[in-house]
Amino acid sequence: MKVWDASTGQEALTLKGHTFTVNSVGFSSDCKRIVSGSYDGTVKVWDANTGQAALTLKGHTDIVTSVGFSSDGKRIVRAVMTRR
């Protein structure tokens, strides 16, 4: 994943860590963290300043299709697509 500076168009960060396609990303309301969900079944939380993975949530048995932070930034929600 890449993060771009919206005012200059310059690449700001490259986030590496998922092993398959990333389906969903979002910023926390304070813009300090980024959350991402992937076909690899993981949700990752990233430091938005350094691009380092701060947390990996594993154990999902399905493809993570959507992720987001609660408005206070204390919780993360994820949606999955069940494989049949």
Side-chain angles (χ1 to χ4, degrees):
M1 297 181 304
K2 294 199 180 281
V3 178
W4 305 84
D5 184 307
S7 62
T8 66
Q10 296 294 313
E11 182 181 325
L13 294 170
T14 298
L15 310 176
K16 295 181 180 181
H18 285 292
T19 59
F20 209 68
T21 303
V22 173
N23 296 313
S24 182
V25 296
F27 273 93
S28 60
S29 59
D30 62 7
C31 295
K32 292 183 179 181
R33 294 172 292 157
I34 299 168
V35 64
S36 59
S38 170
Y39 262 70
D40 66 12
T42 65
V43 172
K44 290 187 178 285
V45 179
W46 308 84
D47 183 301
N49 292 314
T50 66
Q52 297 298 309
L55 183 64
T56 299
L57 306 174
K58 298 179 181 178
H60 307 98
T61 58
D62 297 307
I63 296 167
V64 179
T65 58
S66 184
V67 292
F69 282 101
S70 61
S71 60
D72 63 4
K74 293 182 179 181
R75 295 184 183 182
I76 295 169
V77 64
R78 61 110 174 124
V80 296
M81 178 173 60
T82 303
R83 296 177 237 188
R84 294 181 187 224

